Amino acid sequence: MAATQKERIVFDVAYQPQVRTNIDTPRLMSSVILALMPAVAVSVWQFGWRSLLMIAISVGSAVFFEWAYRKLLKKSATIGDCSAALTGLLLALTMPSSAPLWLPVIGTFFGIVVVKQIYGGIGKNFLNPALAARAFLLASYALYLGQFAVPSSLSGTVDGVSMATPLSFLYGGEALPGYFTLKTMFLGMRPGALGEVSALALLIGGLYLIIRKVISWRIPVSFLGTVALLTLIFGHEGYGHVDFMLYNLCSGGLLLAAIFMATDYATSPVTLNGQLLYGFGCGVLTVLIRYFGGYPEGVTYAILLMNLCTWAIDKGFRRHQFGVSKEDIEAEKAAKKAAKEAAK
Amino acid sequence: MAHTFKGGVHPNYMKAPEIPMTVMTPPPQVVIPMIQHIGAPNKPLVQKGDYVTLGQKIGENPAPVSAPVHASVSGKVVAVEPRPHPLGDMILSVVIENDYQDTPCTDLPPLTEEQLKDSDSILQRIRDAGVVGMGGAMFPTAFKIRGGIGKVDKLIINGAECEPYLNGDHLTMLNYPEQLLKGIELVRIASCVDKAYYGIEKNKQDAIDLLNSLHPEKYGIEIVPEEIKYPQGAEKMQVKAVTGREVKPGGIPSGVGCNVVSTRTCYAVYQACYEGKPVIERIVTVGGSAMAKPTNILTRVGTPFEYIAEQCGGFVRTPRKIVLGGPMMGICATTLEAPNIKGTSGVLFFTEEEDRHVDEPNCIRCGKCITVCPMNLEPVFMYMYYSKGDFENMAKYHITDCFECGSCAFNCPARMPLTHAFKTAKLMFQAKAAKEKAKAEAEAARKEAKS
C-alpha cells in the first residue's frame, strides 16, 4: 500500500519526556488573575466603576509596553503568557481610587520596561515589577498615593471625600474610630488601595492558588505568621495584644502583598526552606517598618528588600540529594574540618 | 505506612488494561539486531542462506556483560547486515524470512526439579535464554543477579509500571499469575535470598487481589501495594518505597542490599526455566493519537514497527514521533523500518496532539521542577549552569545524579527542555572524563618511555 509514502515521513526526535502537563505559563498567570477577581469585585463595590477603569488602563498599558518593547527590539512576542497583564492588574490594585488615571501608565512603563524587560523579560527580573513600579510612584508622586477616598459603605458615616486608613490610626497611636471593627475590615469596608481592602476576598484568592498548587503555602504562611507573631508579642499601647495583631493582619496591603506579591515566581526563592526564610524576612521587615519606619505601610519595601536577597537565599538553602544520609553529611563536615586543621 | 517516595508527578495515565492481550501474527520477515542489551555486542552465529529454527541461538558474545539473541521465527536467513536499530544507528542484524512453520528448537530443555532449586543452573539458563531487563534498561539479568549474591538481602520485583500508556506488566499479572509467581521464585532462589517483595502500584488492584489469592507466601513473595506516582518504577524509588533505604548518589541498589528485577523479566525467567523458551517475544502496548485505539499485543522480537502499526489497525493520522517505551522516559525511533527488541515495552505513535514544544521557552523560576525531582536536585539551577556551559557548577549541583526520569520537564509550565539538557550534559561529562583519562594515560606512557 502506501509504504513508499510512509517512508517519506521525517519523524521528530526529542529526548524524554514525550508528554507534558497541560498547565503552562499562561494558565498559571491567568489563574493568579482569576484569584484576584474577588478583590476586584470588592473594589468596584467600595470605590465604584472608576476602579475598574483604572484597572483597565493599567492592564492595557502594561500589555502595550511589553508588546512594544519586544516588537521594537525584535524579540519574541511574550504578551501571550499573561504575565504583563498580571503586573498591570497588581499595580492598579495597590493604588487608591482617587489617583489620576495617567499614574498607572507611568507605573507600568517603569515596571515593565525598566524592571522587567531590560533584564531580559519574564523570569529574569530580580525585583517584583508591580512593587518596584509602586515604589517608584511612591517616591515620585507620594501625594496621589497617600490620599484615600471614602468607600461607599462609609459614605453616610464620614464627611468629605478622603479619609485616613486604619493603619494610619494604628501608628498614629490613636484609637480606631468606631466604624472600623474587625468585621468591617475583614469584609473590606474600609478606605485603602483598590485591591487591599477586603481580607476575605484576598484569602479566597490565596486559598484557591494554594489548592490549585499555583503557589506554595510556604511564603504566605511564613510571612503572615511572622507578622502575626511579632505584633502579638510586642503589641501597642491602647490595644489588646490579640486585637492589635488582627488589626495589623487586616490593614494596609499586607494580605495582598503576602499572597500575590511575595509569591511572584521570578523574585522569590525556589528552594523550599529558602521560601520559609524569605517569608520570615518579609514579615520581620514589614513589622520593623510599620513600627519604626517613615511610612505607615512597610510591605512594599520589605518585599523589595527580600527580593534582593533571593539569590543568596537560594544558594544557602540547597537540599542534599537523594541518598545522602545525616551520617554522610556529618562525615563530610568532619572531613572538611580535619582538612582545614591540617592546612593550618 | 504508605509505600512511596518524595517528589514525583501524576501524568495522565492513559492506560487501557481492559483491552485484552492479542497475539499478533508473526511478520513475513524479522530483523534481529545483535545489540539488544547493555554490554558487548553479539557476534552472529549464522550466515546468509542458513535455515534457523524457532528459538535457535543466532548471536552471542562470551563477555559476562552480554546476552545472546535467538531466532523469533523459523525460516531462512536472508541477510546478515547492518539495519536501522530502534535506538538509532545501523547495527549488524540477522534478517530471517518466516516460513510460518515455527519449527521448534530443542537446545534448551526445561530444567529438571533439582536444577529449579539450584542458583547456578538457574543463572546459567537465564543467561542462555538471553534474558535482559525487560523494563527497558536491557541490562543482562544473569550478570545483575550474580553480582548481587551475598550483598543483597532484599529482592524487589518491580510491578509499578508507572509509565503512562503501558499495560504489559499489568496484563502479565492478570494472564499468567501463577507462572509469574513461579518466575519470581526462581529469581529469588537464584539471588540466594529468602524473600522477594513485589511492589505494585495500587492502580492495579485487580492484579494485587489475584496474586494475593494465589498465596504468594508459598513462593516466598510478599506483595507491597504502592502509591500511584511517577517514577515509582525507577529502581531507586522502588528500593525507597519498599525498604525505606536510599541508594547512595552514584551507587546502585545492591550497594544497599537490594536488587530490582522487573515483572516481565521474571516471566521471561519462568519461560526460560520451565518451558525452555528463550526471549523471543514480548507484550507491547501500541498507542498514541496516530492510532484509532490502544492495543496490547504479544509480538515476536524483531517485528518492524511498520508491520506492528498495520496489524494494530494502521494510522488514522500521520505520526510525527515514534516513541519506544513509555512517554516519560521513552526515546524516539527515527524510522518505521526498525524492529522492536527485547526492551520495547511500548510503541507509541504521537502526532501534534501530544506535542507541547515551545520555540523560545522562558524559565519563569516557579520552582515546580524542584518540588517534583525524586532525587532532590534543583533542575532550575542545573539548567542555568548548563546553558552557560559552566561545568564546575553543574557538578556542584549534582547534574550527574539525574537519572532522566523527566518529572521536572513534564511539570515545567514554561516547557524548558530540562531533561534533554541534563542528558546532554551527562554525555558531555562522560566525554570530558574519557578525554582526561586518555590524556593522563598518554602522559603516563610518555613518562614511562622517558625513564
Side-chain angles (χ1 to χ4, degrees), chain B residues 159-214:
Chain B
E161 198 162 54
C162 58
E163 278 270 9
Y165 292 90
L166 306 186
N167 307 306
D169 285 0
H170 192 173
L171 287 174
T172 306
M173 293 172 203
L174 292 179
N175 290 339
Y176 313 104
E178 205 136 344
Q179 292 91 322
L180 183 57
L181 291 176
K182 281 182 179 165
I184 296 174
E185 189 186 22
L186 288 172
V187 174
R188 180 180 68 71
I189 293 169
S191 307
C192 306
V193 293
D194 296 332
K195 202 160 173 199
Y197 297 85
Y198 195 1
I200 305 175
E201 274 191 4
K202 283 181 193 156
N203 54 3
K204 292 176 264 296
Q205 193 59 47
D206 50 347
I208 296 175
D209 293 342
L210 178 63
L211 290 171
N212 268 330
S213 71
L214 295 171

Side-chain angles (χ1 to χ4, degrees), chain B residues 56 133 145 403:
Chain B
Q56 183 183 333
I145 295 176
F403 67 88

Side-chain angles (χ1 to χ4, degrees), chain B residues 260-272:
Chain B
V260 185
V261 180
S262 81
T263 297
R264 197 63 205 177
T265 308
C266 292
Y267 183 64
V269 170
Y270 167 84
Q271 287 187 312

